[in-house]
Amino acid sequence: MGDLFVWLIAFFILIALLVIVIFQLMALADLEFDYINPYDSSSRINKVILPEYITEGVLSLFFLITGHWCMSLLCIPYLYYNVRLYTQRQHLVDVTEIFNMLNWEKKQRLFKLGYLIVLLFLSIFCPRKCASFQIPVTFLAVQTPDSYKMVNATKGLFISCDIPMAQFIINLNASLPASQKFIIHVLDSTHMFVQPHVSDMIRSAISDFREQNSYEKPS
């Protein structure tokens, strides 16, 4: 459930950024076709530049604090570019130069638009959290008046993944004969313990599943 909220928040932030960039492109297009004057065009764009920068910063920080390192790293180039423009005082559109810089301003925002579309695509279609494997040793203990005694020590592989991947692993386990079942215990919808020797088999099955279900555009 937590991953779902993270995805929804990131999705709406990206949509907000797309709307802001498209709004700026529309203002530049209106100026290019003489629907508005340079002052109105630059005023419209300058009003939304700081909100755009702040929203992008919030998105990068949000990915960082929620542990989505890859998406956070992908946001850094966009964020760095915005910060560089702001620190050099080049982030606002100059009404006296907007006609001379019209093509550059459009290219800049078209690049941002494409970059945001890629981020949106990755946030929707790529796994939000890849399955991670750790090897802890779990112990069950009972308390006696004198001390703690370890009983039924079990070594297993701890898997943390998103809900679809967890369901895939559970279905994979269910398809095997009883003697080959590898799940020790399902903790919740995204965490489970499995036999320690099956990590390569699970990774291979996941890789095969992704290859079989990937879409390739026909040439």
Side-chain angles (χ1 to χ4, degrees), residues 41 64 72 98 111 125 213:
S41 179
L64 183 64
S72 180
I98 190 170
F111 178 81
F125 294 104
N213 291 274

Side-chain angles (χ1 to χ4, degrees), residues 131 133 157 159 165 168-169 172 182 197-213:
F133 296 85
L157 191 70
I159 297 180
M165 192 61 64
F168 172 79
I169 295 173
L172 176 64
F182 54 83
H197 62 276
V198 298
S199 60
D200 291 338
M201 185 269 287
I202 294 176
R203 288 192 178 97
S204 178
I206 292 173
S207 177
D208 292 342
F209 176 77
R210 286 176 175 166
E211 289 179 2
Q212 293 171 4
N213 291 274

Side-chain angles (χ1 to χ4, degrees), residues 17 24 37 49 55 78-79 85 88 90 95 104 116 124 161 169-170 173 181 184 189 192 206:
L17 284 169
Q24 296 177 43
N37 58 59
I49 284 180
T55 305
Y78 192 148
L79 181 62
L85 288 179
Q88 295 177 355
Q90 297 177 355
V95 64
W104 164 247
L116 290 171
I124 293 175
C161 57
I169 295 173
I170 292 172
N173 178 75
K181 293 186 183 299
I184 299 173
S189 59
M192 66 184 72
I206 292 173

Side-chain angles (χ1 to χ4, degrees), residues 77-213:
Y78 192 148
L79 181 62
Y80 169 76
Y81 182 73
N82 289 343
V83 171
R84 187 171 67 87
L85 288 179
Y86 182 80
T87 54
Q88 295 177 355
R89 295 294 185 265
Q90 297 177 355
H91 59 293
L92 297 178
V93 176
D94 187 350
V95 64
T96 62
E97 295 290 336
I98 190 170
F99 266 121
N100 297 331
M101 301 293 292
L102 185 59
N103 288 333
W104 164 247
E105 296 290 347
K106 286 174 59 179
K107 289 179 181 179
Q108 180 187 39
R109 284 158 179 82
L110 285 172
F111 178 81
K112 286 184 176 182
L113 183 64
Y115 197 87
L116 290 171
I117 290 173
V118 170
L119 287 179
L120 183 63
F121 177 85
L122 291 175
S123 68
I124 293 175
F125 294 104
C126 289
R128 295 185 297 277
K129 186 187 291 184
C130 298
S132 59
F133 296 85
Q134 302 172 358
I135 305 180
V137 178
T138 60
F139 296 93
L140 301 177
V142 294
Q143 185 176 9
T144 66
D146 299 326
S147 62
Y148 287 95
K149 294 182 179 179
M150 298 299 178
V151 296
N152 296 331
T154 304
K155 184 176 181 179
L157 191 70
F158 176 71
I159 297 180
S160 173
C161 57
D162 58 15
I163 294 176
M165 192 61 64
Q167 192 60 48
F168 172 79
I169 295 173
I170 292 172
N171 292 339
L172 176 64
N173 178 75
S175 67
L176 297 174
S179 60
Q180 299 180 17
K181 293 186 183 299
F182 54 83
I183 292 182
I184 299 173
H185 184 65
V186 177
L187 301 176
D188 55 34
S189 59
T190 58
H191 302 88
M192 66 184 72
F193 278 109
V194 301
Q195 297 291 342
H197 62 276
V198 298
S199 60
D200 291 338
M201 185 269 287
I202 294 176
R203 288 192 178 97
S204 178
I206 292 173
S207 177
D208 292 342
F209 176 77
R210 286 176 175 166
E211 289 179 2
Q212 293 171 4
N213 291 274

